[in-house]
């Protein structure tokens, strides 16, 4: 396998080159990334359809609602674990397939499993820290919440690339993630905000296309509020499950690609920074020969004439 520095996304990016690299890589690896994301989408949508939210909305007793929420905790946990597992596999494929074409989908699935448990543990700590950051953001009203959410997202995007390139050590992953994400802090925050906006716009457009076949049900619920619960039943429709899986398969691969770009940009800038400093320090050093003045050309000529 080639060195990580030979990865096509490994370079010091600008916002323009980052978006160009994102789109270029996405097109080149579209079929395998789309296939894995589609399988994940089908699993997530199928598991989500087993959660009866209509029954929860019809409840009025607090104890009954809490009891129902406890029952839904397990399927929601399974959905989260499935999403995290496929995120791990996709990130491994994005990083290591360009370095070695033999890292196909099946090899990436097996090789990425060693990062799954450390990833879950770090995500647990991130959820706690992220909740605290968003709570602090609430004190600063809307702008604070938005900034906190973008900040947590930026940290999240660094985690898997750091872990896969530098090793599945939890402590080292946390330290490197904090160091690299904060080194070019405002650039990373800005790029993440732009990426989130683009992802939201694309998702809204695709969601509208997914819901087109069910427009009649929406108008019926709008004209008759008593049938609003029928909208929840749409999510159990096989057509809706397939269309939603297609939508997620289009957008989901963008996140691991952008995460790799953020990480490789930070690594490339860090290496370039430390490769320049030793040269500058070497130029400042004074050698022993510099203590002796070299004879001028005229002195050398006079000495030759005297001889």
């Amino acid at each position: 396998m080639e060195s990580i520095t030979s990865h096509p996304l490994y370079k010091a990016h600008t916002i323009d080159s980052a978006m160009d690299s994102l789109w270029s890589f996405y097109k080149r690896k579209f079929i395998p990334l789309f296939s894995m994301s589609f399988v994940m989408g089908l699993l997530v949508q199928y598991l989500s359809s087993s959660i009866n939210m209509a029954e929860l909305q019809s409840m009025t007793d607090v104890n009954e609602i809490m009891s129902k929420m406890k029952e839904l905790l397990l399927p929601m946990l399974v959905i989260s674990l499935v999403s995290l597992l496929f995120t791990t596999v996709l990130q491994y494929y994005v990083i290591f397939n360009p370095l070695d074409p033999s890292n196909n989908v099946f090899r990436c699935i097996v090789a990425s499993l060693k990062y799954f448990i450390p990833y879950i543990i770090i995500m647990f700590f991130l959820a706690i820290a992220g909740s605290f950051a968003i709570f602090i953001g609430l004190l600063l009203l809307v702008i604070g919440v938005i900034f906190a959410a973008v900040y947590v997202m930026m940290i999240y995007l660094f985690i898997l690339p750091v872990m896969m390139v530098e090793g599945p050590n939890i402590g080292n992953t946390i330290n490197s993630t904090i160091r690299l994400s904060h080194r070019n802090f405002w650039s990373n925050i800005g790029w993440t905000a732009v990426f989130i906006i683009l992802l939201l716009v694309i998702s809204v457009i695709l969601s509208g296309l997914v819901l087109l076949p069910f427009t009649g049900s929406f108008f019926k619920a709008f004209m008759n509020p008593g049938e609003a619960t029928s909208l929840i039943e749409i999510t159990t429709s096989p057509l809706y499950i397939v269309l939603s899986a297609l939508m997620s398969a289009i957008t989901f691969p963008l996140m691991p690609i952008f995460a790799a770009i953020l990480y490789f940009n930070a690594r490339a800038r860090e290496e370039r920074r430390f490769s320049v400093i030793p040269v500058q320090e070497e130029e400042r050093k004074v050698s022993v020969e510099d203590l002796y003045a070299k004879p001028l050309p005229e002195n050398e000529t006079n000495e030759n004439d005297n001889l």
Side-chain angles (χ1 to χ4, degrees):
M1 185 169 64
E2 297 182 18
S3 170
I4 197 68
T5 56
S6 62
H7 196 284
L9 300 177
Y10 192 103
K11 62 180 178 178
H13 289 275
T14 62
I15 182 63
D16 292 330
S17 68
M19 294 301 148
D20 289 341
S21 298
L22 174 66
W23 176 240
S24 176
F25 192 92
Y26 179 79
K27 290 189 298 181
R28 190 165 61 252
K29 302 292 182 180
F30 176 76
I31 293 178
L33 292 174
F34 177 84
S35 301
M36 288 186 284
S37 299
F38 181 66
V39 173
M40 184 207 72
L42 286 176
L43 288 174
V44 170
Q45 290 298 326
Y46 176 76
L47 293 172
S48 300
S49 65
S50 64
I51 300 176
N52 191 353
M53 298 301 296
E55 182 181 354
L56 187 63
Q57 288 184 346
S58 62
M59 296 178 180
T60 56
D61 183 67
V62 177
N63 294 328
E64 191 177 1
I65 293 175
M66 294 301 297
S67 177
K68 185 63 178 177
M69 288 296 293
K70 290 180 181 179
E71 295 178 8
L72 298 178
L73 185 62
L74 180 59
M76 292 174 68
L77 179 61
V78 172
I79 291 172
S80 300
L81 291 176
V82 169
S83 299
L84 291 176
L85 176 61
F86 275 88
T87 301
T88 308
V89 175
L90 283 169
Q91 191 68 74
Y92 190 93
Y93 182 88
V94 167
I95 292 177
F96 292 106
N97 175 263
L99 301 177
D100 186 358
S102 65
N103 287 323
N104 54 32
V105 173
F106 300 103
R107 289 188 63 179
C108 288
I109 292 173
V110 175
S112 63
L113 292 178
K114 69 177 181 179
Y115 302 100
F116 185 54
I117 300 301
Y119 181 44
I120 293 175
I121 295 173
I122 294 178
M123 287 302 298
F124 174 77
F125 290 121
L126 180 64
I128 297 174
S131 300
F132 180 74
I134 293 176
F135 172 76
I136 297 298
L138 285 172
L139 302 178
L140 302 174
L141 302 179
V142 178
I143 297 177
V145 174
I146 294 175
F147 181 83
V150 174
Y151 174 74
V152 173
M153 183 67 176
M154 179 196 70
I155 297 294
Y156 165 75
L157 290 172
F158 272 91
I159 292 174
L160 270 180
V162 169
M163 183 184 297
M164 290 181 175
V165 175
E166 302 182 15
N169 182 283
I170 295 175
N172 179 69
T173 299
I174 294 174
N175 290 333
S176 296
T177 296
I178 298 299
R179 186 187 80 251
L180 292 173
S181 61
H182 287 73
R183 175 150 289 159
N184 298 292
F185 181 76
W186 292 111
S187 295
N188 292 331
I189 283 284
W191 292 12
T192 304
V194 171
F195 175 74
I196 292 174
I197 293 172
L198 291 175
L199 199 61
L200 287 176
V201 171
I202 296 171
S203 298
V204 168
I205 295 173
L206 293 177
S207 297
L209 295 176
V210 168
L211 294 174
L212 277 178
F214 309 99
T215 306
S217 299
F218 278 94
F219 277 111
K220 188 183 297 184
F222 180 77
M223 299 299 296
N224 186 7
E227 297 184 5
T229 55
S230 62
L231 295 178
I232 301 177
E233 297 177 359
I234 294 176
T235 59
T236 61
S237 169
L239 178 60
Y240 178 84
I241 291 175
V242 173
L243 291 177
S244 297
L246 287 172
M247 183 200 74
S248 64
I250 293 174
T251 57
F252 192 73
L254 295 172
M255 192 169 297
I257 300 174
F258 183 71
I261 289 174
L262 274 182
Y263 171 70
F264 287 141
N265 172 68
R267 275 286 301 269
R269 290 180 181 277
E270 184 180 60
E271 289 184 3
R272 187 173 66 179
R273 175 173 175 266
F274 284 108
S275 64
V276 171
I277 290 176
V279 175
Q280 294 175 344
E281 290 180 349
E282 187 69 27
E283 291 175 352
R284 295 194 192 105
K285 291 181 180 179
V286 179
S287 61
V288 176
E289 289 78 5
D290 294 333
L291 299 176
Y292 298 93
K294 294 180 180 180
L296 297 175
E298 295 178 355
N299 295 339
E300 292 179 352
T301 303
N302 293 334
E303 290 177 1
N304 293 331
D305 292 340
N306 294 331
L307 292 174

